[in-house]
Amino acid sequence: MPLADAFVEPGSASEEFTYQLQVAWCRTCGLVQLTDPVSPARMFHDAYPYTSSISTVMMEHFRTLATETIARLDSTQDPLVVEVGSNDGILLRHIAARGLRHLGVEPSESVARVADALGVTTRRAFFCESVAKEVLEEHGPAEAIVAANVISHIPNLSSALAGVRHLLSKTGTFVFEEPYFAAILESTAIDQIYDEHVTYLSVGAVANCADRHGLSLVDAVAQPTHGGSMRYTLQRAGRRSPSPRVAEHLAREAALGLKNETTYGAFKERADLRTRQFRSLLEDLCARGMRIAGYGATAKSCTVLNYGGIDARLIQCVYDSTPAKHGKLTPGMHIPVKPSRDFCKEYPDYAVLFAWNHEREIVGREREFVALGGRWIAYVPDVRVFPPSL
Ligand code: DWN
Ligand code: SAH
């Protein structure tokens, strides 16, 4: 597999880095993870193209999380809020605007620079145990540590959790959210599996890993973002008993078969079937002379395109709003990426919704496409064309 966010400059495709994408499940701690993670520095660097603020729904989601984080600080004197993977400042900008002490820890210069401009103090670093100790030395303990869609990106999860344990004040909380493995399983979202996602977290696995580092999982609340996420709250062990929600999620995970080997084999079979159905739909439409494009040059699309061998013969181009992706080719399958403002100038007959997690926002905005006869194609949770043709 190529790297999901390594969009290719035309003419330089021969230099593409590839790696073996393979997932394993640990019978002991329940963690689902990549067997051969790619070095983080290869993925997160000064040309990392993903900026969190591409979605108005996500901007609102993080504004609300910032408000909740501030509310939890209650009467603490001069509290410190640390965010791991602060990207373009989508969350910390609200903390900074309130004049609160804060620090983003973010290795990708491309996005950290955007956060700087919003007044967010950002340390260019990969969060780990030693960086956490340095932050503690320089700034003191953190009353709140927050992280979204990044803990699953860290190959050395133990080091990250040990870092949190060092940095967190005695009364502090660590709140993080990640795509929920049970949701990935239920919707057969194989496209969530790619290089940047090293672990696929569940309530059971997080509880086990937290325990090993003197932390306890005290709450877990489902979130609608990224196609189904879970927000975990950790505190130093022994501070508070877990919310009943934790036990409810654990029971549901057991019922879903997260502890049974057969569940994982069945997932692969469903993923293979779905990929074949998706590919044959595209082939049938192409054979009928239809023009097909993609919408959203997501990191996720890398897996479904490369696993299905779907290239520019089937999908002519992908429209995306991220300037850094424009004029480039998608990793591996080399489909040209065009600005999303061009979509309405040359509507295709069908548009594959690669950013399916932003369906409401995108389909709501692009109503004219459907009004003029265009149709969306989705492949999660099933392959479907919508709205159905009359
Ligand atoms: O975990 C990760 C998540 C948070 O973001 C990272 N490893 C990488 C990235 O994954 P992704 O690329 O699959 O995320 P999204 O949020 O599904 O990507 C949206 C893509 O779609 C962006 O390239 C922008 C584009 N887009 C667009 O063209 N028009 C998005 C929206 C909402 C739009 O209206
Ligand atoms: N929190 C944002 C960004 C998620 S994308 C959101 O939810 O939208 C993942 C981000 O984590 C990238 O900006 C990447 O550069 C950063 N990252 C990756 N490994 C990291 C690590 N070890 N420490 C801190 N940030 C990391």
Side-chain angles (χ1 to χ4, degrees):
M1 276 285 165
L3 300 182
D5 266 317
F7 289 82
V8 178
E9 210 56 81
S12 64
S14 58
E15 296 150 30
E16 231 174 340
F17 170 84
T18 57
Y19 71 103
Q20 183 72 31
L21 177 61
Q22 191 168 279
V23 195
W25 160 65
C26 172
R27 246 178 250 280
T28 314
C29 70
L31 197 61
V32 177
Q33 55 195 300
L34 296 189
T35 53
D36 301 294
V38 174
S39 148
R42 253 193 197 282
M43 300 181 282
F44 309 113
H45 42 64
D46 58 4
Y48 181 64
Y50 183 73
T51 46
S52 305
S53 304
I54 39 84
S55 151
T56 51
V57 171
M58 294 310 293
M59 285 181 80
E60 184 53 25
H61 174 78
F62 286 115
R63 197 190 58 75
T64 307
L65 178 56
T67 307
E68 290 169 10
T69 305
I70 293 168
R72 254 199 336 270
L73 299 170
D74 16 87
S75 53
T76 319
Q77 278 274 309
D78 196 21
L80 171 70
V81 178
V82 172
E83 187 187 4
V84 181
S86 44
N87 197 274
D88 60 4
I90 190 167
L91 182 138
L92 279 185
R93 62 190 294 175
H94 303 289
I95 309 280
R98 293 282 289 267
L100 291 162
R101 274 203 309 137
H102 67 275
L103 182 71
V105 181
E106 169 56 64
S108 299
E109 175 60 27
S110 48
V111 294
R113 215 180 291 133
V114 183
D116 290 345
L118 295 169
V120 173
T121 310
T122 309
R123 185 189 186 100
R124 274 60 165 172
F126 285 95
F127 186 83
C128 60
E129 187 172 7
S130 62
V131 166
K133 284 180 174 169
E134 285 166 22
V135 173
L136 178 66
E137 186 100 333
E138 285 168 39
H139 301 269
E143 192 53 25
I145 304 180
V146 273
N149 306 301
V150 59
I151 297 304
S152 64
H153 292 53
I154 303 181
N156 193 341
L157 180 61
S158 284
S159 170
L161 290 176
V164 166
R165 176 68 176 73
H166 283 297
L167 185 56
L168 206 56
S169 74
K170 285 200 175 66
T171 52
T173 47
F174 173 38
V175 174
F176 72 103
E177 57 189 47
E178 301 293 327
Y180 183 36
F181 181 65
I184 295 176
L185 196 67
E186 281 187 301
S187 56
T188 319
I190 52 153
D191 59 351
Q192 288 285 13
I193 300 174
Y194 59 89
D195 52 308
E196 293 174 30
H197 290 171
V198 182
T199 55
Y200 302 84
L201 300 175
S202 57
V203 174
V206 168
N208 286 336
C209 296
D211 268 357
R212 294 179 188 190
H213 293 281
L215 295 164
S216 356
L217 176 64
V218 295
D219 208 353
V221 180
Q223 304 293 316
T225 47
H226 291 293
S229 297
M230 188 61 78
R231 180 178 291 169
Y232 305 95
T233 302
L234 268 54
Q235 286 196 313
R236 284 177 175 236
R239 282 211 60 83
R240 137 178 169 210
S241 46
S243 135
R245 270 190 289 261
V246 172
E248 286 163 22
H249 289 306
L250 289 173
R252 203 176 141 256
E253 288 179 2
L256 269 174
L258 258 64
K259 291 183 179 165
N260 309 336
E261 194 172 337
T262 49
T263 304
Y264 300 88
F267 175 73
K268 185 188 178 319
E269 275 171 30
R270 286 199 308 279
D272 285 347
L273 174 65
R274 170 97 68 64
T275 308
R276 282 198 302 277
Q277 288 169 335
F278 178 47
R279 203 192 141 92
S280 41
L281 171 66
L282 299 179
E283 284 171 344
D284 288 352
L285 293 172
C286 274
R288 286 169 37 207
M290 298 294 152
R291 181 171 169 262
I292 309 170
Y295 201 107
T298 56
K300 293 182 288 293
S301 65
C302 180
T303 301
V304 73
L305 290 171
N306 284 278
Y307 198 51
I310 297 164
D311 63 16
R313 284 172 294 193
L314 291 172
I315 295 182
Q316 296 184 2
C317 66
V318 183
Y319 297 96
D320 193 280
S321 58
T322 315
K325 297 181 184 177
H326 299 160
K328 304 225 172 115
L329 309 171
T330 64
M333 289 293 112
H334 303 155
I335 302 174
V337 182
K338 292 184 168 187
S340 42
R341 60 175 176 273
D342 290 355
F343 186 57
C344 64
K345 297 182 193 154
E346 49 195 32
Y347 282 139
D349 299 301
Y350 289 83
V352 178
L353 194 55
F354 287 121
W356 53 269
N357 45 313
H358 301 294
E359 176 176 327
R360 260 192 28 223
E361 182 171 350
I362 294 173
V363 172
R365 195 182 49 236
E366 301 289 1
R367 281 190 300 272
E368 193 194 58
F369 167 58
V370 169
L372 293 175
R375 290 293 176 265
W376 295 102
I377 298 175
Y379 54 87
V380 177
D382 292 300
V383 177
R384 71 198 154 104
V385 174
F386 67 99
S389 303
L390 294 173

